[in-house]
Amino acid sequence: AGQLPAQRALTEVLFERGLLKLVFATETLAAGIHMPARCVVMRQIDKGDGPGKRRFFNGSEFLQMAGRAGRRGLDVRGHAIVGPAGLSTTAVDGWAANLLSSGPVPLRSWFSPSYEMLCSLLQGRSLNEVKVVVQQSFSAFLAELKDKSGVRGKSDRSVRHPREG
């Protein structure tokens, strides 16, 4: 986390080539890179949630980090070791029980095309290419699911070139 894009790319390449044996990562870094490892060790199972507040990882956050364990095509299985520092066994047991019994966290798209974003996309692409970019967004996928189920909402927007009016 906090790395420039070029640093992140270099870290991934070095890790894939086996030149980095150990990477310390936050949940944010784990979500933004492709670095499968044989083993993942988590020293914390909680995170900041506002000024002076902490909360345990939810199922999606835990899976994002633990899911890095096991390299496709190389390992039969991966290992995720959870050894949270400073927490009582009772707290960890309660978190684990809740994690195993909870369902998936619903995904929501925050993608909201703006006039500025579309103009920026149009600088280097044709209108049809911009339409494809927007139509391939997670937001468009969710809108399509809603349309199939008969629910219609704010997502019924079309993309038009600013000069088309």
Side-chain angles (χ1 to χ4, degrees), residues 111 117-118 121-122 125-138 140-141 159-160:
F111 178 71
M117 183 199 77
L118 294 174
L121 285 170
L122 284 166
R125 297 171 179 85
S126 70
L127 177 59
N128 286 334
E129 289 172 323
V130 172
K131 284 182 182 181
V132 168
V133 168
V134 174
Q135 290 167 347
Q136 289 179 341
S137 70
F138 184 62
F141 171 76
V159 178
R160 287 196 248 156

Side-chain angles (χ1 to χ4, degrees), residues 5 12 14 27 34 62 69 72 74 84 124 126 135 137 153 165:
E12 277 188 58
L14 293 174
E27 170 210 351
H34 175 65
F62 176 74
R72 186 173 292 147
L74 295 174
S126 70
Q135 290 167 347
S137 70

Side-chain angles (χ1 to χ4, degrees), residues 25-111:
T26 62
E27 170 210 351
T28 306
L29 179 68
I33 59 172
H34 175 65
M35 291 176 55
R38 185 178 303 133
C39 181
V40 172
V41 178
M42 284 178 253
R43 295 279 297 142
Q44 273 185 268
I45 57 172
D46 63 335
K47 64 188 265 179
D49 193 27
K53 294 182 186 176
R54 297 202 65 79
R55 67 168 179 78
F56 287 118
F57 290 150
N58 64 36
S60 294
E61 293 161 338
F62 176 74
L63 285 174
Q64 182 64 46
M65 290 176 45
R68 299 284 172 214
R71 299 161 301 168
R72 186 173 292 147
L74 295 174
D75 300 321
V76 174
R77 68 177 51 94
H79 301 277
I81 301 168
V82 179
L87 293 175
S88 70
T89 304
T90 306
V92 174
D93 288 349
W95 167 76
N98 185 47
L99 187 71
L100 293 171
S101 64
S102 65
V105 176
L107 295 177
R108 179 175 177 199
S109 174
W110 293 97
F111 178 71

